[in-house]
Amino acid sequence: GQNIDQPTEMTATEGAIVQINCTYQTSGFNGLFWYQQHAGEAPTFLSYNVLDGLEEKGRFSSFLSRSKGYSYLLLKELQMKDSASYLCAVRDHSGYSTLTFGKGTMLLVSP
Amino acid sequence: EPEVTQTPSHQVTQMGQEVILRCVPISNHLYFYWYRQILGQKVEFLVSFYNNEISEKSEIFDDQFSVERPDGSNFTLKIRSTKLEDSAMYFCASSDGEKLFFGSGTQLSVL
């Protein structure tokens, strides 16, 4: 089975840095993904880690430790538009790229 | 930029009726998916489709559900005899084998 945990809510201030953690226990692992979802909209791809370490992409970075079953998403220079739900998702080993999502972390950025 | 398109954006139906949700995946993608998200809950996997057949399905995807790729571009989800608890946002997604790209969803309301 799959178990993916992330905090339910976080708050931060515009311009700040925030780290959203995700831990997972899965029967197979072939990559960890982060998606952003604004209310009422589709998830949009942010980042992807399959090997341990840090992947940087502009204001967003994602880290993975496979041995610890742990990832985080780091958002820098927060903007009001970053207020959204951030979804951690694990790809299993099936080869069909199916993702299993966590419940998401609602981030509220305040002025 | 290529995108996944879904129609309709909203569908209201009476309990017991059949609905068909339609999707046009990104043209060179080979993997197709349906996910759903009940209001306030996580994104849940329903089914994946590859090489003109179902490759994986979840416990949610019971005999009430079926998928079809009737031609070279469309991918449909049929829900027979809808129930109140089928009310959710249904997302179609397609993949190049690495990242999943989601459509904007169909909001299904069963009355």
Side-chain angles (χ1 to χ4, degrees):
Chain A
Q2 317 271 37
N3 189 31
I4 301 171
D5 287 315
Q6 44 182 137
T8 306
E9 289 182 353
M10 297 183 72
T11 58
T13 307
E14 201 173 10
I17 300 173
V18 71
Q19 178 175 311
I20 303 174
N21 296 323
C22 172
T23 57
Y24 64 90
Q25 295 161 328
T26 57
S27 55
F29 179 83
N30 194 21
L32 189 136
F33 293 73
W34 285 94
Y35 280 79
Q36 181 191 60
Q37 187 180 29
H38 284 99
E41 298 183 11
T44 55
F45 172 80
L46 287 178
S47 71
Y48 158 57
N49 297 71
V50 67
L51 299 175
D52 291 352
L54 188 68
E55 292 283 339
E56 296 188 80
K57 205 173 180 183
R59 294 190 300 116
F60 298 86
S61 304
S62 57
F63 172 83
L64 175 67
S65 169
R66 288 172 296 170
S67 63
K68 295 181 180 176
Y70 168 69
S71 173
Y72 67 73
L73 179 70
L74 194 70
L75 294 81
K76 303 175 189 173
E77 301 168 18
L78 281 172
Q79 302 174 9
M80 299 294 287
K81 68 178 182 179
D82 297 329
S83 292
S85 188
Y86 290 85
L87 314 181
C88 174
V90 173
R91 183 168 68 190
D92 65 20
H93 59 291
S94 72
Y96 298 112
S97 297
T98 300
L99 297 184
T100 300
F101 285 85
K103 293 182 179 179
T105 298
M106 178 63 68
L107 174 66
L108 177 63
V109 180
S110 57
Chain B
E1 185 175 324
E3 59 180 23
V4 177
T5 57
Q6 289 185 245
T7 54
S9 56
H10 292 84
Q11 175 85 53
V12 180
T13 190
Q14 295 289 327
M15 192 169 57
Q17 295 297 302
E18 175 183 286
V19 294
I20 297 177
L21 310 184
R22 303 181 189 278
C23 170
V24 178
I26 295 173
S27 61
N28 62 343
H29 286 183
L30 299 178
Y31 303 88
F32 314 121
Y33 312 83
W34 285 100
Y35 283 80
R36 78 172 186 190
Q37 187 174 31
I38 295 169
L39 185 64
Q41 298 187 22
K42 68 177 181 178
V43 176
E44 299 177 291
F45 169 71
L46 294 178
V47 65
S48 61
F49 193 86
Y50 171 73
N51 203 25
N52 287 320
E53 60 183 23
I54 290 173
S55 47
E56 288 182 289
K57 60 182 181 178
S58 71
E59 295 173 348
I60 303 168
F61 194 88
D62 59 20
D63 293 343
Q64 183 194 6
F65 294 88
S66 62
V67 289
E68 199 174 47
R69 188 154 163 82
D71 54 45
S73 59
N74 290 285
F75 180 51
T76 63
L77 175 69
K78 182 188 290 186
I79 309 174
R80 287 180 280 274
S81 189
T82 49
K83 299 178 282 200
L84 295 176
E85 54 264 39
D86 294 328
S87 295
M89 179 75 92
Y90 288 80
F91 292 109
C92 174
S94 69
S95 172
D96 56 3
E98 187 173 274
K99 299 187 279 287
L100 263 67
F101 296 88
F102 286 83
S104 54
T106 294
Q107 180 65 57
L108 176 65
S109 299
V110 182
L111 306 179

